Amino acid sequence: MKKLFLVFLGLTMLLVPVSAQALSIGMWGEWATIGQQFNDSLSGYFGYSIYYGVTDYLVKADLNLAKLGNVQTKMGLYYETDQPNDYSTVGLTYGMSTMVQPNLSVGGDISILNSENYAGATTTNVFPITRVAVNLYF
């Protein structure tokens, strides 16, 4: 099911016309990301990270909320898994970002709630982590 979701999101990002959309590269915490602004309200991201010999993958979607001056607030969902497939996390985020240049966004997300599955054991965490988010748009 996880792989089917990743393939579906990837195909959606590739097949949506990019003429009216914004593509981005950036960072979300420890993940290098590639993202796409689907419309004024919805963004999607793929992430990739390698550390200590473990490859991690990330899929994230953000829904824009209120814009306060130059600061955009957002809610998001993310799913991460690692290559040996013994770890996965699903989480809910709240964050903010601001355009510091016409094509550069800097901000951060607070993970409000997540559910981790490690080798069959599931734990739920409240406010487990914060992550810095940087995106360069094309």
Side-chain angles (χ1 to χ4, degrees):
M1 183 68 175
K2 296 185 272 187
K3 292 180 183 179
L4 182 62
F5 177 72
L6 292 172
V7 168
F8 175 74
L9 187 60
L11 288 174
T12 301
M13 288 177 72
L14 290 174
L15 297 176
V16 170
V18 295
S19 60
Q21 314 301 327
L23 293 174
S24 69
I25 58 170
M27 296 293 291
W28 188 69
E30 64 271 16
W31 283 279
T33 61
I34 183 166
Q36 183 168 357
Q37 182 86 27
F38 294 109
N39 56 40
D40 289 341
S41 299
L42 184 64
S43 300
Y45 303 92
F46 280 119
Y48 180 81
S49 176
I50 298 177
Y51 60 94
Y52 298 112
V54 176
T55 303
D56 282 337
Y57 301 98
L58 168 77
V59 176
K60 185 173 187 308
D62 282 335
L63 179 65
N64 289 341
L65 301 174
K67 190 165 188 175
L68 309 168
N70 200 25
V71 177
Q72 177 67 59
T73 60
K74 57 190 175 175
M75 287 291 282
L77 289 171
Y78 68 94
Y79 173 78
E80 61 183 83
T81 188
D82 66 9
Q83 182 57 37
N85 250 352
D86 61 354
Y87 174 80
S88 64
T89 301
V90 175
L92 176 67
T93 64
Y94 176 80
M96 299 179 210
S97 63
T98 186
M99 297 298 285
V100 294
Q101 293 290 324
N103 64 340
L104 179 63
S105 165
V106 176
D109 288 336
I110 298 170
S111 185
I112 298 170
L113 182 70
N114 77 5
S115 178
E116 296 179 347
N117 185 338
Y118 181 70
T122 301
T123 58
T124 301
N125 304 299
V126 178
F127 297 112
I129 195 163
T130 60
R131 291 189 169 102
V132 172
V134 177
N135 287 298
L136 179 63
Y137 295 92
F138 299 98

